């Protein structure tokens, strides 16, 4: 057996999509305790242990229906807040846990049916308080409330005056409104304390910021905000916005990379800004190209960062510190070893490994994720990632084109369980950052305007052609697999270019752009002007409605001949179940093979491990049948 042809264990779907033993650790403000997520009754719950390892860990939440994924330490380490929705409906509630009485039930601080809590913040100037936005008064508008964490009392700070996406409250009591103009530009206005009138401060071109200005972090003194700006530049850099004048002053930039903007789509990912736990001052900034770069802007943090980077392999991911800035918890991002997490004491220089989330996964048997560049047919360079199975000659392989969502997201170098699962089955995996993906400059992003089912899809097909020309992929054994926008791309693949793909897997994908845009939540619709309406079209305008229909997979159902697997969450509020029902019904009516899986206790992303395991077992069998892979046989 050659070095290339070596034995690799055939792993089960549970090995990749079962719950981690531990994940998402962070340290308390006083440095005395470490919290993390770990299974309890087959769901992730919050556990807390002493940072000094002098006591047993305790589970402090008791959610046996749906895993907890987001939690927050508060100013007082007695209280912890976590977020939870109902079966994927995205109506997030805030729950309080009393760590002095961990056996007491969690308290729902936003106990309003059908209401969504958004934008949880802990202002440094108001210990014991939090700011939260609720659409309790009007489902389409979010008002700003102050929450007393200890008592649970909610006090309205400002009522949404209408068509305002966000309200900002400074330590000095000034109120700012974030809104879209009729043309789709983003306007920041200051409320006049006497008249209540909103007076514009600055306007940003909406087409340059389809997902809003991100980050937008108030400075501790409340006179400015640190924002990601691409004004007069192709790249997004960090500037300080003067809230009185609207003037921008550059704080930091990278000569090649954009700020790491992934958290605007997935808030659980680290923010591009690393802030001081006690003061809120800026410590460091994350940038992202092929790999991540962290630039330290504070001398103490620079010294800490040098030590943190020596603890593990890969890139520094989530970090948290106590208020002294001496005790730290850090997780690492690595393509073959997910989330190794360490404790570090800067005062003593001591460190220790806290856990590896999936200790049963041997990095030596995982597949490297390699940055590659695909050249599109019009010459545009497409940053991409190629994952090749371990232990086989990388020639003429069955391949899966794995398409990211958004479309204003991007693939990046990381441990991707889907790519690893597919590589373990013997597939090459290609992930193409097609035009319109975020994080590669303003021009690259705007190149996607008007190109759904057009050049955005051409880029994906050009990626397949590149892999075939390079010898990696067998042109007769290529599948397309994606979720959300990626699911739409999979459906476009089998309806617009049916000869390219031998199979397709659509997870919560859009089949009809017209009905999709008419069924998004009401509070979302006013803010589609500079993203979906700009990039795709407005269904309330007849000419654009016709174009949306023409770019919809269901409009070309007669061309679909490719075997299809469709997976859908029954409570999805972003891409509702009717989107999948439409395409499944239409394709089945023509006698084309369609497998359809619906999970009624899930939304736009599956959270319960048994549902993810079911989905990927089904995908495993489906792809093996049509591409000749090696499925699980249990």
């Amino acid at each position: 057996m050659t070095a290339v042809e070596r034995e690799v264990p055939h792993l089960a779907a549970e090995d990749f999509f079962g719950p981690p033993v531990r994940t998402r650790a962070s340290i308390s403000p006083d440095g005395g305790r470490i919290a993390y997520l770990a299974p309890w009754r087959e769901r992730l719950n919050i556990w807390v242990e002493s940072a000094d390892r002098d006591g047993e860990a305790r589970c402090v939440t008791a959610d046996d229906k749906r895993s907890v994924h987001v939690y927050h330490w508060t100013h007082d380490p007695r209280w912890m807040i976590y977020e939870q929705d109902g079966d994927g409906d995205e109506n997030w509630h805030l729950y309080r846990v009393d760590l002095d009485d961990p056996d007491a039930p969690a308290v729902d601080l936003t106990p309003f049916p059908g209401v969504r809590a958004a934008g949880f913040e802990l202002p440094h100037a108001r210990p014991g308080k939090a700011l939260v936005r609720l659409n309790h008064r009007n489902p389409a508008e979010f008002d700003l409330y102050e929450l007393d964490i200890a008592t649970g009392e909610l006090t309205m700070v400002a009522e949404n005056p209408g068509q305002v996406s966000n309200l900002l409250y400074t330590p000095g009591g000034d109120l700012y409104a974030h809104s879209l103009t009729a043309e789709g530009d983003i306007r920041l206005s200051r409320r006049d304390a006497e008249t209540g009138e909103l007076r514009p401060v600055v306007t940003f071109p909406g087409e340059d910021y389809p997902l809003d200005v991100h980050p937008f972090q108030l400075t501790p003194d409340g006179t400015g905000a640190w924002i990601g700006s691409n004004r007069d530049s192709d790249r997004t850099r960090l500037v300080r916005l003067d809230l009185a004048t609207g003037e921008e002053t550059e704080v930091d930039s990278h000569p090649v990379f954009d700020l790491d903007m992934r958290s605007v789509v997935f808030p659980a990912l680290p923010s591009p800004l690393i802030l001081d736990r006690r003061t809120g001052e800026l410590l460091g900034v994350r940038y992202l190209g092929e790999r991540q770069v962290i630039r330290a802007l504070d001398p103490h943090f620079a010294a800490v960062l040098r030590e943190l980077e020596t603890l593990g392999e890969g890139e520094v991911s989530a970090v948290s510190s106590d208020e002294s800035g001496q005790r730290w918890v850090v997780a690492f991002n690595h393509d073959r070893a997910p989330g190794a997490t360490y404790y570090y004491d800067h005062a003593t220089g001591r460190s220790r490994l806290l856990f590896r989330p999936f200790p049963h996964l041997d990095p030596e048997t995982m597949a490297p994720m390699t940055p590659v560049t695909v050249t599109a047919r019009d010459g545009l360079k497409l940053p991409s990632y190629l994952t090749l199975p371990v232990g086989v000659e990388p020639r003429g392989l069955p391949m899966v084109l794995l398409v990211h969502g958004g479309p204003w997201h991007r693939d990046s170098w990381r441990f991707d369980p889907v790519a690893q699962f597919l590589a373990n089955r013997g597939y090459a995996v290609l992930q193409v950052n097609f035009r319109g993906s975020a994080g590669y400059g303003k021009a690259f992003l705007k190149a996607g305007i008007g190109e759904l089912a057009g050049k955005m899809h051409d880029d994906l097909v050009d990626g397949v052609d590149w892999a075939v020309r390079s010898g990696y992929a067998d042109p007769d054994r290529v599948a397309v697999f994606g979720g959300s926008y990626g699911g739409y791309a999979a459906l476009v693949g089998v309806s617009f270019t049916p000869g390219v793909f031998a199979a397709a897997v659509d997870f919560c994908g859009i089949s009809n752009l017209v009905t999709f845009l008419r069924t998004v939540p009401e509070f979302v619709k006013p803010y589609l002007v500079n993203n979906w309406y700009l990039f795709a079209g407005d269904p309330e305008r007849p000419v654009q409605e016709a174009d949306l229909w023409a770019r919809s997979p269901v409009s070309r159902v007669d061309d679909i001949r490719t075997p299809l697997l469709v997976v859908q969450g029954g409570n999805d509020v972003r891409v509702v179940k009717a989107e999948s029902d439409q395409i499944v019904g239409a394709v089945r009516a023509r006698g084309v093979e369609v497998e359809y899986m619906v999970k009624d206790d899930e939304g736009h992303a599956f959270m319960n491990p048994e549902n993810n395991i079911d989905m990927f077992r089904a995908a495993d069998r489906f792809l093996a049948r049509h591409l000749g892979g090696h499925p699980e046989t249990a």
Side-chain angles (χ1 to χ4, degrees):
M1 186 176 292
T2 67
V4 171
E5 296 172 339
R6 59 189 177 91
E7 192 69 26
V8 174
H10 196 69
L11 300 173
E14 290 90 333
D15 292 320
F16 294 98
F17 304 106
V21 296
R22 295 186 182 189
T23 189
R24 298 188 186 178
S26 63
I27 195 165
S28 62
D30 61 3
R33 288 178 282 194
I34 294 172
Y36 56 87
L37 302 178
W40 177 81
R41 295 189 179 177
E42 301 181 355
R43 295 290 182 265
L44 292 181
N45 276 268
I46 303 171
W47 294 67
V48 176
E49 66 181 15
S50 169
D52 297 324
R53 297 189 295 185
D54 59 357
E56 292 186 2
R58 296 194 64 175
C59 185
V60 299
T61 57
D63 197 326
D64 59 1
K65 187 175 183 182
R66 192 164 179 82
S67 289
V68 176
H69 283 270
V70 178
Y71 70 90
H72 311 272
W73 289 102
T74 66
H75 304 102
D76 183 344
R78 173 182 177 179
W79 307 113
M80 181 172 281
I81 304 293
Y82 72 93
E83 302 178 21
Q84 186 60 285
D85 72 345
D87 288 338
D89 64 6
E90 299 193 44
N91 287 326
W92 298 102
H93 286 228
L94 299 178
Y95 293 85
R96 187 190 66 206
V97 176
D98 185 351
L99 298 187
D100 286 354
D101 186 9
D103 293 326
V107 176
D108 187 351
L109 298 174
T110 54
F112 313 117
V115 171
R116 175 186 176 114
F120 181 82
E121 298 174 25
L122 292 168
H124 290 85
R126 299 276 289 168
K129 309 292 186 182
L131 293 173
V132 61
R133 293 153 186 84
L134 300 172
N135 59 344
H136 180 45
R137 179 185 55 83
N138 180 341
E141 296 176 354
F142 285 83
D143 303 320
L144 182 64
Y145 290 81
E146 183 176 73
L147 168 68
D148 186 298
I149 294 168
T151 67
E153 182 181 3
L154 282 165
T155 303
M156 184 184 285
V157 175
E159 182 177 305
N160 193 316
Q163 302 296 301
V164 168
S165 59
N166 197 4
L167 290 163
L168 305 170
Y169 191 57
T170 72
D174 293 327
L175 188 75
Y176 290 83
H178 216 81
S179 59
L180 278 186
T181 67
E183 295 75 28
D185 293 328
I186 299 166
R187 177 170 293 163
L188 181 71
S189 303
R190 183 177 185 272
R191 185 181 68 175
D192 186 290
E194 295 182 1
T195 67
E197 180 184 356
L198 292 177
R199 297 183 176 177
V201 174
V202 64
T203 301
F204 303 90
E207 65 180 15
D208 293 350
Y209 303 90
L211 294 181
D212 211 340
V213 177
H214 181 79
F216 203 109
Q217 175 68 49
L218 291 176
T219 58
D221 64 5
T223 65
W226 293 306
I227 71 169
S229 173
N230 56 35
R231 192 183 294 277
D232 302 322
S233 169
D234 187 56
R235 297 291 172 186
T236 300
R237 62 200 185 281
L238 183 65
V239 305
R240 182 188 182 278
L241 177 72
D242 188 305
L243 293 179
T245 66
E247 293 182 2
E248 296 182 10
T249 304
E250 183 170 306
V251 175
D252 192 62
S253 64
H254 190 281
V256 179
F257 300 160
D258 277 4
L259 286 175
D260 182 353
M261 308 293 282
R262 291 172 295 175
S263 61
V264 71
V265 179
F266 294 104
L269 292 175
S271 165
L273 306 185
I274 301 173
L275 304 177
D276 186 285
R277 181 74 166 269
R278 180 177 61 84
T279 67
E281 291 292 345
L282 188 63
L283 300 180
V285 187
R286 298 175 190 268
Y287 297 89
L288 188 64
E290 286 185 353
R291 298 278 295 272
Q292 176 194 257
V293 172
I294 296 178
R295 291 167 64 100
L297 305 183
D298 171 85
H300 173 72
F301 178 66
V304 169
L305 182 61
R306 284 193 295 270
E307 298 301 321
L308 294 180
E309 290 176 334
T310 68
L311 298 180
E313 296 182 355
E315 303 168 348
V316 168
S317 182
V319 293
S320 64
S321 76
D322 66 358
E323 290 186 339
S324 74
Q326 297 298 318
R327 286 164 287 190
W328 294 77
V329 168
V330 56
F332 280 83
N333 174 51
H334 191 279
D335 62 339
R336 292 178 292 113
T341 301
Y342 294 81
Y343 172 79
Y344 168 68
D345 188 324
H346 191 62
T348 65
R350 295 174 183 168
S351 63
R352 69 178 188 273
L353 175 68
L354 292 175
F355 58 82
R356 297 183 186 278
F358 298 94
H360 57 280
L361 295 179
D362 180 1
E364 294 302 315
T365 64
M366 297 294 103
M369 187 180 191
T370 304
V372 297
T373 300
V374 171
T375 302
R377 63 192 67 180
D378 62 359
L380 186 64
K381 303 297 183 183
L382 307 173
S384 307
Y385 293 89
L386 179 67
T387 303
L388 296 172
V390 176
V392 298
E393 183 69 27
R395 306 291 296 176
L397 297 170
M399 189 180 85
V400 177
L401 177 69
L402 192 58
V403 188
H404 71 68
W408 306 283
H409 186 44
R410 57 157 288 177
D411 284 309
S412 55
W413 187 85
R414 64 186 181 96
F415 184 86
D416 186 328
V418 181
Q420 292 294 339
F421 176 70
L422 294 170
N424 185 257
R425 295 302 189 259
Y427 305 116
V429 181
L430 181 64
Q431 294 167 276
V432 177
N433 283 308
F434 47 86
R435 71 194 68 204
S437 301
Y440 295 103
K442 185 164 59 179
F444 190 90
L445 179 73
K446 293 166 71 172
I449 293 174
E451 296 298 341
L452 273 75
K455 291 181 180 179
M456 291 167 73
H457 183 64
D458 290 344
D459 291 347
L460 298 175
V461 174
D462 292 345
V464 173
D465 291 343
W466 171 88
V468 170
R469 288 197 311 272
S470 301
Y472 298 118
D474 178 347
D476 296 323
R477 294 190 295 162
V478 177
V480 56
F481 188 153
S484 191
Y485 173 85
Y488 165 78
L491 295 175
V492 169
V494 299
S495 54
F496 284 68
T497 54
V500 175
F501 299 105
V505 181
D506 155 34
F507 175 38
C508 296
I510 303 159
S511 69
N512 183 334
L513 289 167
V514 177
T515 54
F516 159 66
L517 289 170
R518 285 179 173 156
T519 55
V520 297
E522 287 303 313
F523 63 81
V524 172
K525 289 180 179 178
Y527 310 109
L528 298 177
V529 180
N530 64 327
N531 43 68
W532 279 103
Y533 292 170
L534 173 64
F535 278 71
D538 182 348
E540 304 313 314
R541 298 185 177 187
V543 173
Q544 294 182 25
E545 179 188 17
D547 188 55
L548 286 166
W549 170 253
R551 296 174 186 270
S552 297
V554 75
S555 74
R556 297 199 180 193
V557 71
D558 289 343
D559 294 324
I560 297 177
R561 58 178 185 267
T562 306
L564 182 62
L565 169 62
V566 177
V567 183
Q568 177 71 41
N571 285 324
D572 194 338
V573 297
R574 302 190 192 195
V575 181
V576 298
K577 180 174 173 289
E579 289 299 310
S580 291
D581 290 345
Q582 285 183 69
I583 197 73
V584 169
V587 174
R588 281 179 173 171
R590 294 187 55 250
V592 176
E593 177 188 348
V594 185
E595 294 183 34
Y596 191 22
M597 175 184 289
V598 178
K599 296 295 184 181
D600 290 329
D601 58 347
E602 297 284 8
H604 196 57
F606 286 8
M607 294 297 181
N608 294 331
E610 68 273 14
N611 291 332
N612 275 311
I613 290 167
D614 280 355
M615 174 171 65
F616 284 100
R617 279 179 174 168
D620 190 12
R621 295 189 296 268
F622 175 79
L623 292 172
R625 188 159 63 250
H626 299 291
L627 300 188
H630 308 291
E632 185 177 347
T633 57

